[in-house]
Amino acid sequence: MIHFLLTWLVTAVSLLITANIVNGFIVTNFTAALIAAVVIGLVNAVIRPILIVLTLPLTILTLGLFLFVVNGISIWIASVLSPGFTVAGLLPGLLGSIVLTLVAGIINFVVERVVQS
């Protein structure tokens, strides 16, 4: 349960940091980031696998690079479903998903080191 809460908080903080880095990627406040983190998790669990299967030929043709576009679309769908979280198009969604992954990875690394010690 603690791991779930830490992951949720890390994702919310990562969303806020990403919103400060990427233009067109807007999170209004921390509550909106918490809600968006849950919605992103649900979209990644339910909708993203369907998108991956539907775009498999294109993903194979581009040697996997189209998965970046699928990630951007997933972030955009989450922004449509979340109040206070806005992505102003596919390019901010694409850049936002890349930055969000990097920021969340770094924060997760730091949190895991702190929790282990």
Side-chain angles (χ1 to χ4, degrees):
M1 184 68 167
I2 296 293
H3 185 316
F4 170 76
L5 291 174
L6 282 175
T7 303
W8 183 33
L9 288 173
V10 164
T11 304
V13 170
S14 300
L15 277 168
L16 290 171
I17 293 170
T18 302
N20 287 322
I21 296 172
V22 178
N23 290 331
F25 198 92
I26 302 158
V27 180
T28 55
N29 55 33
F30 189 67
T31 304
L34 288 171
I35 294 169
V38 170
V39 173
I40 287 171
L42 292 173
V43 167
N44 282 340
V46 177
I47 297 174
R48 188 170 177 267
I50 296 168
L51 287 174
I52 289 173
V53 169
L54 291 175
T55 61
L56 189 60
L58 193 52
T59 302
I60 291 170
L61 185 65
T62 62
L63 302 174
L65 292 177
F66 195 74
L67 286 176
F68 286 117
V69 176
V70 171
N71 287 341
I73 292 170
S74 297
I75 292 290
W76 177 77
I77 290 171
S79 77
V80 169
L81 299 173
S82 307
F85 174 45
T86 307
V87 175
L90 184 60
L91 186 59
L94 179 64
L95 292 175
S97 69
I98 293 169
V99 172
L100 181 64
T101 301
L102 293 173
V103 170
I106 292 169
I107 294 174
N108 273 325
F109 178 77
V110 171
V111 168
E112 286 178 12
R113 295 288 182 187
V114 169
V115 169
Q116 286 178 358
S117 42

